[in-house]
Amino acid sequence: MDDQEMQLKVKRVTDKFTESMYVLANEPSIALYRLQEHVRRSLPELVQHKTDMQSWEEQSQGAIYTVEYACSAVKSMVNSSLYFKSIDGLLKQAITMREKICSSQGRSMKPASNYSDSPTHASSTSS
């Protein structure tokens, strides 16, 4: 082989070797650069998704609180039926007593079968 040809082959081998060493040395840097590039592109969208999710979570928590409050109000109303029955009994007693008082005073009065049919306070006190 010729000396010049040998030098050319050695130069090609050393160039390829240098290029390979350069790529191997810079491969982690390229990977980190690609990773950084990906994060820069996708981060704003991820932040927007996070913000949306937080907003939906707040709205959901508000709705859950409202539903729980409504449920407790309904349960309280169910438990208050005893009080309404007591009030109904007391109103019937009051109507009966008023009818007895009016009949003992000699007034004629039609029996009140419904609370709204009974005379007003002003007409029962006039003499």
Side-chain angles (χ1 to χ4, degrees), residues 3-37:
D3 193 33
Q4 191 177 10
E5 189 178 320
M6 184 59 111
Q7 284 181 353
L8 185 62
K9 286 183 180 182
V10 168
K11 181 165 176 31
R12 279 189 203 155
V13 168
T14 56
D15 285 347
K16 289 288 183 183
F17 183 73
T18 304
E19 183 180 339
S20 295
M21 290 304 289
Y22 179 77
V23 168
L24 286 174
N26 289 316
E27 184 62 28
S29 297
I30 291 172
L32 289 174
Y33 173 77
R34 295 289 184 210
L35 185 61
Q36 180 185 21
E37 187 178 57

Side-chain angles (χ1 to χ4, degrees), residues 4 7 12 17 27 47 80 84 87 98 102 117:
Q4 191 177 10
Q7 284 181 353
R12 279 189 203 155
F17 183 73
E27 184 62 28
V47 168
S80 66
F84 285 118
I87 291 170
R98 188 179 66 108
C102 287
D117 290 343

Side-chain angles (χ1 to χ4, degrees), residues 14 25 38 40 62 66 75 80 86-87 95 97 104 114 123-124:
T14 56
H38 172 72
R40 280 187 182 170
T66 302
K75 287 178 185 175
S80 66
S86 174
I87 291 170
I95 290 171
M97 291 178 76
S104 69
N114 192 350
S123 64
S124 64

